[in-house]
Amino acid sequence: MSLANKVKAHFTAAFSEPPAYIVRAPGRVNLIGEHTDYNDGFVFPLAIDRATFIALRPRDDNRVLAISLDMDDRRAFALDDLQPPAEVGWIDYLIGVAWVLQERGYALRGWDGVVSGDVPIGSGLSSSAALELAAARAFYCVSGFDWDAKAMALACQSAENEWLGVNCGIMDQMISAAGLQDRALLIDCRSLETESAPLPAGSAVVILDTGTRRGLVDSGYNERREQCETAARHFGLPALRDIDSETFAERAPELDALSRKRARHVIHENERSLRAHDAMNAGDAVALGKLMMESHISLRDDFEVSSSALDAIVDCAQADESCYGARMTGAGFGGCAVALVETDNAKDFVERVSQCYIEATGIQPSLYVTRASSGAETVWP
Ligand code: ADP
Ligand code: MG
């Protein structure tokens, strides 16, 4: 049964009538442009074909009653009495979205809903942004304000930053809001301008979850952020986005060895993202794959956010004859890698790489062939 049918059936059973709306919002994977978002740079993600769905109906009062099938839980809150989370649970993502939308002047109405998704939780594919954007879309359906993907992405990012206390950039919410079928979205994280490009014909995107999670993520992330800000300040620039690789090559000796490596990653990664956009527009899977491999080496050696598990799965993928390129994706230290492979051989690729990774590490990975899907939308009626 599809997820849309699943939430619809559960809604009908719980509320004794069919839902008035079904909405969905996808998770995402970043093809290239890693650790560039907080440097005001470029990212190049796609919305994946795994999403969070909500079946809902409007209420006459200002309450939200939500049932999570995945958490086996039922929670309610009132829109005029939002309580900040003591300990973050799934309902706080809905409350945070309600809070930020009201802060921004949207008049909201309550709803009854059933929530379920198939974005793996906590593996770096942004199930949190999927839930936030699905919640925003639910409020849109019952409240009747205008849907502006960029405004919704910014609102949901604020919910995550300010209500949930997670220091994330704009990428996850932006791609979950504005993704396009069979296309990746180049996002300028400074202007929030986007440009889409088609994935090369005959190629498929495969997500490779190493099955490892590392506690280092938060401290490692904050430390990298500070190092980048310090390097930008040294050059007298607002962000590393504002220096090109030639100028950097001239001035790099001014920096200490560690700052130089960190800055070099970000500056070259921005340029790789723009070149990836050109490669995609040219339908050049080989060039795109090569950029992904360069990105991985840079993240591994200069930015130092890879891990032995990520390196192992990327090595297995890159050694496979049907792979154009592979790299770690997301913050790093564990989590997922992403590969571009020949569509016709994607299934065999998954088999071979799983085997190779198990032999190298003894860990069971999860690999999925994915398709670029649309951003947050109403799927029914
Ligand atoms: P991710 O990398 O998947 O975004 P996060 O820790 O940022 O991981 O967000 C995961 C949290 O989001 C979960 O612990 C849960 O609270 C919430 N969440 C995500 N998807 C769902 C879902 N389908 N149903 C209920 N809660 C969800
Ligand atoms: Mg998240």
Side-chain angles (χ1 to χ4, degrees):
M1 186 167 32
S2 73
L3 270 171
N5 283 335
K6 178 179 165 191
V7 290
K8 186 177 177 186
H10 280 269
F11 183 99
T12 309
F15 298 106
S16 311
E17 64 171 0
Y21 307 97
I22 302 174
V23 298
R24 72 174 271 286
R28 63 96 186 92
V29 68
N30 192 20
L31 220 45
I32 196 160
E34 214 63 76
H35 286 275
T36 44
D37 58 347
Y38 53 82
N39 291 292
D40 277 5
F42 297 91
V43 295
F44 208 175
L46 52 109
I48 61 176
D49 55 1
R50 289 170 172 251
T52 298
F53 284 73
I54 306 179
L56 70 150
R57 70 175 179 197
R59 286 177 64 108
D60 293 329
D61 60 16
N62 67 359
R63 293 182 68 75
V64 172
L65 169 61
I67 297 170
S68 163
L69 299 182
D70 307 323
M71 303 291 170
D72 193 17
D73 193 21
R74 165 194 281 254
R75 300 267 163 169
F77 60 90
L79 291 168
D80 60 359
D81 183 27
L82 302 178
Q83 300 298 327
E87 205 179 309
V88 172
W90 70 275
I91 195 66
D92 297 303
Y93 290 81
L94 276 57
I95 298 175
V97 169
W99 167 76
V100 73
L101 290 177
Q102 293 189 122
E103 282 282 301
R104 292 178 184 205
Y106 295 89
L108 301 187
R109 191 168 164 181
W111 46 271
D112 295 321
V114 171
V115 184
S116 184
D118 61 0
V119 185
I121 289 177
S123 67
L125 301 175
S126 214
S127 69
S128 57
L131 180 57
E132 289 151 14
L133 266 300
R137 190 74 190 180
F139 281 113
Y140 154 84
C141 283
V142 299
S143 311
F145 53 81
D146 285 339
W147 180 264
D148 176 77
K150 197 190 288 185
M152 289 300 126
L154 283 166
C156 289
Q157 184 203 7
S158 290
E160 186 134 356
N161 293 164
E162 293 166 43
W163 195 263
L164 301 155
V166 178
N167 192 6
C168 64
I170 187 62
M171 168 167 68
D172 301 357
Q173 288 79 14
M174 193 68 187
I175 185 65
S176 183
L180 294 167
Q181 187 137 24
D182 297 325
R183 300 177 78 89
L185 202 65
L186 181 73
I187 303 170
D188 179 334
C189 294
R190 174 172 280 166
S191 67
L192 294 191
E193 276 166 20
T194 60
E195 251 178 274
S196 73
L199 289 160
S203 68
V205 173
V206 179
I207 293 166
L208 311 98
D209 187 339
T210 59
T212 62
R213 310 282 178 258
R214 286 277 288 276
L216 257 176
V217 178
D218 285 345
S219 58
Y221 177 87
N222 291 332
E223 187 190 69
R224 295 303 180 287
R225 242 182 126 128
E226 278 162 29
Q227 290 166 337
C228 291
E229 281 159 17
T230 308
R233 253 199 316 276
H234 170 83
F235 293 124
L237 299 169
L240 287 178
R241 149 73 177 273
D242 298 297
I243 183 165
D244 60 44
S245 54
E246 280 111 70
T247 317
F248 176 69
E250 284 161 25
R251 297 197 57 185
E254 297 166 23
L255 296 173
D256 64 87
L258 187 68
S259 308
R260 200 182 312 145
K261 289 206 294 183
R262 302 296 190 250
R264 186 165 59 204
H265 165 71
V266 172
I267 292 158
H268 286 262
E269 184 77 355
N270 272 328
E271 296 185 354
R272 275 191 290 272
S273 304
L274 295 173
R275 276 155 55 207
H277 183 243
D278 295 340
M280 235 185 263
N281 276 325
D284 191 344
V286 173
L288 183 57
K290 191 160 171 284
L291 291 163
M292 291 168 73
M293 296 200 276
E294 289 170 15
S295 169
H296 184 76
I297 292 166
S298 176
L299 286 158
R300 184 189 68 197
D301 299 344
D302 278 351
F303 217 61
E304 298 180 278
V305 290
S306 191
S307 68
S308 55
L310 282 166
D311 290 343
I313 214 159
V314 166
D315 286 348
C316 287
Q318 287 183 352
D320 196 274
E321 60 200 12
S322 59
C323 182
Y324 294 107
R327 55 181 285 277
M328 56 153 279
T329 185
F333 304 107
C336 293
V338 61
L340 189 72
V341 308
E342 295 164 0
T343 310
D344 290 346
N345 297 313
K347 275 219 173 81
D348 294 339
F349 170 88
V350 165
E351 284 296 311
R352 288 192 295 257
V353 172
S354 299
Q355 214 41 54
C356 170
Y357 178 74
I358 291 168
E359 275 163 30
T361 63
I363 305 167
Q364 179 71 47
S366 310
L367 276 69
Y368 340 97
V369 181
T370 193
R371 268 192 77 174
S373 81
S374 345
E377 61 186 347
T378 307
V379 295
W380 194 78

